């Protein structure tokens, strides 16, 4: 499928006063208040299947957190089909795969973005063993080091029903948000993805219902949120 520059636009950066940007700020707030007792700092964003909008969601969410003054690190942990570098117009030659392979240091892998308070770790070259790398002790160590510097760590992962990467990282992070393509994803598919996350005791913070049509013609998509998705009903 062909892509264009518009596919990688970050609306929270380009038009922070739009109603879509406000929806991302609502998502940010919902995440912050999704749990009272736990401090949510590392968050995985995934979806059941490809093309449900998870990467667009995490890019805009990262900007929303940064606009609040939080120090944010955005990690492209989709080592199979990375795209976050395109949103921020960065090279993908060095990134997480190099870091986990011991080829570069953490500081060498981190790049600044044009957004204040927001840094990025690109995916890097596609490795032959993504799941093993993400499940390594080195990955756990890097997450711990990042927590010493950043307020929020956001990780973009492959779809939960395609490979096990999302499950692996969800077990290492404080929470996970699942993005669903409204009107296309089947209920059974969504529940199956949530069940796989529950199998690794992932803390599911909620679900983003993406591409929800509005009654007026401002935009062909919108965002709704439902939290408390650990319920299986």
């Amino acid at each position: 499928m062909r892509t264009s520059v518009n596919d990688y636009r970050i609306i929270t950066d380009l038009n922070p006063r739009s109603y879509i940007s406000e929806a991302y700020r609502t998502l940010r707030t919902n995440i912050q208040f999704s749990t009272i007792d736990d401090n949510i700092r590392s968050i995985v964003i995934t979806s059941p299947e490809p093309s449900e909008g998870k990467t667009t969601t995490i890019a805009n969410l990262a900007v929303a957190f940064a606009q609040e003054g939080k120090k944010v690190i955005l990690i492209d942990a989709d080592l199979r089909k990375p795209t976050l570098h395109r949103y921020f117009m960065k090279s993908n030659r060095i990134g997480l795969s190099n870091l986990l392979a011991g080829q570069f240091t953490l500081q060498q892998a981190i790049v600044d973005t044009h957004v204040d308070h927001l840094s990025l770790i690109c995916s890097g070259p596609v490795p032959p063993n993504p799941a093993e790398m993400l499940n390594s002790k080195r990955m756990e160590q890097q997450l711990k080091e990042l927590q010493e510097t950043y307020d929020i760590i956001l990780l973009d992962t492959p779809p939960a029903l395609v490979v096990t990467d999302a499950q692996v990282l969800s077990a290492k992070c404080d929470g996970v948000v699942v993005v669903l393509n409204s009107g296309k994803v089947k209920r059974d598919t969504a529940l199956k993805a949530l069940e796989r996350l529950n199998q690794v005791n992932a803390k599911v913070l909620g679900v983003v219902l993406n591409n929800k049509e509005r009654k007026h013609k401002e935009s062909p998509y919108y965002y709704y949120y439902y939290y408390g998705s650990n319920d299986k009903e």
Side-chain angles (χ1 to χ4, degrees):
M1 182 175 65
R2 297 181 64 182
T3 58
S4 67
V5 173
N6 288 336
D7 293 326
Y8 305 112
R9 294 171 68 247
I10 305 175
I11 192 66
T12 47
D13 178 41
L14 297 175
N15 189 3
R17 294 189 177 185
S18 71
Y19 71 89
I20 298 177
S21 296
E22 180 60 32
Y24 282 116
R25 289 191 288 272
T26 300
L27 173 59
R28 177 193 68 196
T29 301
N30 286 344
I31 290 174
Q32 291 171 324
F33 288 93
S34 61
T35 177
I36 298 176
D37 297 326
D38 299 324
N39 185 17
I40 303 298
R41 296 184 58 197
S42 56
I43 305 164
V44 166
I45 307 291
T46 189
S47 60
E49 298 177 331
S51 302
E52 300 209 51
K54 65 177 179 60
T55 303
T56 298
T57 297
I58 198 172
N60 281 280
L61 181 60
V63 172
F65 271 115
Q67 289 172 340
E68 192 183 38
K70 293 286 195 299
K71 193 171 183 181
V72 182
I73 183 75
L74 179 58
I75 304 175
D76 193 344
D78 190 341
L79 301 183
R80 302 167 192 269
K81 193 177 180 182
T83 55
L84 267 178
H85 61 284
R86 293 174 180 162
Y87 283 83
F88 295 92
M89 294 180 288
K90 299 296 182 181
S91 169
N92 196 39
R93 294 178 62 186
I94 298 174
L96 183 61
S97 60
N98 306 102
L99 176 62
L100 297 178
Q103 298 170 345
F104 292 94
T105 66
L106 182 59
Q107 292 306 314
Q108 289 174 322
I110 296 174
V111 295
D112 292 329
T113 71
H114 65 281
V115 179
D116 290 342
H117 311 299
L118 176 57
S119 300
L120 171 69
I121 298 179
C122 298
S123 170
V126 176
N129 56 340
E132 289 79 2
M133 296 186 82
L134 295 174
N135 199 31
S136 65
K137 291 183 178 179
R138 187 183 292 269
M139 183 67 194
E140 292 184 8
Q141 179 183 355
Q142 303 306 325
L143 289 173
K144 289 180 180 178
E145 289 188 26
L146 289 170
Q147 286 183 345
E148 296 176 0
T149 305
Y150 294 91
D151 300 313
I152 299 292
I153 303 169
L154 296 172
L155 300 97
D156 185 24
T157 70
L161 295 183
V162 176
V163 289
T164 61
D165 302 16
Q167 293 167 267
V168 167
L169 286 177
S170 295
K172 300 179 185 297
C173 294
D174 298 329
V176 56
V177 173
V178 181
V179 178
L180 305 178
N181 192 337
S182 175
K184 293 186 178 181
V185 65
K186 296 181 179 179
R187 176 182 172 85
D188 289 346
T189 300
L191 290 176
K192 187 175 181 181
L194 292 172
E195 178 59 32
R196 289 198 179 180
L197 294 170
N198 287 331
Q199 288 174 358
V200 296
N201 295 318
K203 185 177 182 61
V204 180
L205 303 175
V207 172
V208 175
L209 191 57
N210 192 18
N211 290 337
K212 181 73 174 178
E213 290 188 2
R214 291 171 61 87
K215 293 182 180 179
H216 51 75
K217 297 183 179 180
E218 285 187 38
S219 172
Y221 56 88
Y222 194 57
Y223 298 83
Y224 289 82
Y225 316 105
Y226 170 72
Y227 280 79
S229 61
N230 278 322
D231 296 334
K232 297 182 182 180
E233 296 181 0

